[in-house]
Amino acid sequence: MRHLVLGLAGVAAALSVAACEKIPGTKAYASAQQAAADQKLIAEGQRIAARDLRDPPAAQFREVFVQRNPVGAAPWAGAPVVCGEVNGKNAYGAYAGFVRFIASPSKGLGELEPPPATEGDTQAFNDALLFRISWVFGCLGGKGKV
């Protein structure tokens, strides 16, 4: 009998917490609203990141998150950004490997991590460095190493 009462009390507690997600002004409601907004941002950020791939519908994503307070200079400052890793197909139809991406859904901007620079290719080196700086300030809020 005691286990039945404890079980019913646990079910009642779980139902009351779930009900709070539907009551405006509660912490659970705000958290549920934030999660729904983040899911919309992530979906749009993934769409932006995939649009430059050879086969956008085949894109695979991992480690995707929303950074609500990017710091630093434009274009990432001032609006939430979506950061993560994307894997796309190459010309042979095989997946090429995951690379980092940054996307700003509100600005419609996205950037994929460039391939490593070869020795003497200063433009590729500069592109890679600029992406790393964007990643640290846009995705990590300035808390990381370039």
Side-chain angles (χ1 to χ4, degrees), residues 19-54:
C20 287
E21 289 180 359
K22 296 179 171 63
I23 301 172
T26 63
K27 260 187 186 178
Y29 179 81
S31 180
Q33 295 297 95
Q34 186 70 48
D38 283 356
Q39 285 305 312
K40 287 181 183 177
L41 282 171
I42 286 172
E44 183 61 16
Q46 288 176 333
R47 186 193 66 75
I48 290 169
R51 72 181 175 201
D52 291 332
L53 300 176
R54 182 175 298 277

Side-chain angles (χ1 to χ4, degrees), residues 30-102:
S31 180
Q33 295 297 95
Q34 186 70 48
D38 283 356
Q39 285 305 312
K40 287 181 183 177
L41 282 171
I42 286 172
E44 183 61 16
Q46 288 176 333
R47 186 193 66 75
I48 290 169
R51 72 181 175 201
D52 291 332
L53 300 176
R54 182 175 298 277
D55 185 3
Q60 298 173 335
F61 294 92
R62 69 180 185 194
E63 307 294 329
V64 180
F65 61 95
V66 174
Q67 171 58 268
R68 295 206 160 273
N69 300 306
V71 297
W76 311 115
V81 295
V82 177
C83 304
E85 297 178 351
V86 61
N87 190 5
K89 290 188 174 184
N90 61 21
Y92 298 106
Y95 283 99
F98 282 92
V99 296
R100 295 182 294 182
F101 75 89
I102 305 170

